[in-house]
Structure formats: structure tokens, C-alpha cells
Amino acid sequence: MATPRSAPSRPDDLTLEVVELIGAVVARYHEEYEEAAAEHALTGAQARLLSLLSMEPLPMRRLAQRLKCEPSNVTGIVDRLEARGLVERRPDPADRRVKLAAATAEGRRVARGLQESLRFAREPLAGLSEQERVALRDALRRMLRTEGG
């Protein structure tokens, strides 16, 4: 038998303000990310996929999970990036039946350019001490760990 959960308490004003500020940062990040993608003649989805693949090759199914979309959509995005020479398909060394999508050297260069063009947080973060940046990073990591339950 499940134990009843207590009703969540009403968030305090500080928590509400932090939530609003996080929302503003997320909105600004997405706006700048879309602009940076467009500068490279990419859609936002293409840029996100390329960014993921610049870190490590991934199977299509895992890409779809990370991007929270259908595998058929990922196939189309990979096809378009492959046609531009930014992504390639290769067999998975662990299971040759599985195809991995991987960023090419040019794809990694474009992904790096995308990251470098996201300037909105660079100056404000540079104004924080290393200790403050570490504390912010650690708080965000904790939030993300607990968010999934």
C-alpha cells in the first residue's frame, strides 16, 4: 500500500523569483542558440544534434531519446547533416548491426563555433569568482539530478 504524500507547500517568494530567473535564462539561451544555428545555416534541431554528436558518436535511437523526438525525425536530420559533410554514419564497433552517427572534423568545427557564439552568459559568468561559478555549477547539477526523481 502506497503511503500518501503530503501536499506540497506553497513556494516562498525567493523560490518563485529563482524559477522566473531560470526561465529567463533558458529563453535567452534558446533565442541565442537559434540565432547561432541560423548563422551556420542550421535549424535549431540540426544544431542540437550536431552538438551532441561532437561529444561522442551515438546510435540513432539514443539521439532520438536525447532530443525527445521520433527516430524518423532524427534520420532526416542526420541525412541533411550528412549531405553537408558535417555528420557520417558508421558501424558500432560493439554491435555491427547498429549504425552510429558521428560528427566529422568539419561538424566538430561547426559545433565548436556554435558554442563559442553563445555569448550571453560568458561576460556575466566571467564576472563571478571561480568559487561562485563552481557553486552555481554544483547547484545546477543538483537540480538536474533531483528533477528526474
Side-chain angles (χ1 to χ4, degrees):
M1 183 166 154
T3 58
R5 287 187 168 180
S6 61
S9 61
R10 180 163 159 56
D12 60 273
D13 289 342
L14 177 59
T15 299
L16 292 173
E17 182 181 3
V18 169
V19 168
E20 286 298 315
L21 290 169
I22 290 171
V25 167
V26 167
R28 190 143 171 217
Y29 174 84
H30 283 295
E31 180 181 308
E32 215 168 285
Y33 200 85
E34 293 290 329
E35 289 172 9
E39 287 174 16
H40 292 275
L42 297 170
T43 65
Q46 288 171 336
R48 284 187 292 281
L49 187 142
L50 187 59
S51 181
L52 285 172
L53 293 180
S54 71
M55 292 183 273
E56 64 178 325
L58 292 168
M60 304 291 227
R61 196 172 301 279
R62 186 143 347 118
L63 276 170
Q65 290 168 343
R66 295 237 182 120
L67 293 172
K68 297 182 181 4
C69 68
E70 293 297 316
S72 60
N73 291 346
V74 168
T75 300
I77 295 168
V78 169
D79 287 345
R80 287 185 285 286
L81 292 173
E82 190 174 35
R84 289 186 53 187
L86 301 175
V87 167
E88 64 186 10
R89 288 177 170 92
R90 57 173 83 141
D92 184 341
D95 182 350
R96 298 194 60 81
R97 298 169 295 174
V98 175
K99 289 283 189 207
L100 297 177
T104 62
E106 177 65 8
R108 287 188 298 279
R109 187 191 67 72
V110 170
R112 195 169 31 259
L114 279 164
Q115 285 300 105
E116 290 170 359
S117 65
L118 297 174
R119 294 181 181 88
F120 86 90
R122 191 171 299 144
E123 282 184 32
L125 287 172
L128 299 177
S129 69
E130 183 176 357
Q131 182 179 5
E132 289 170 321
R133 289 192 314 271
V134 167
L136 177 59
R137 180 203 62 201
D138 292 348
L140 292 170
R141 283 180 175 172
R142 272 195 318 275
M143 284 180 71
L144 291 171
R145 261 196 315 272
T146 60
E147 172 258 334

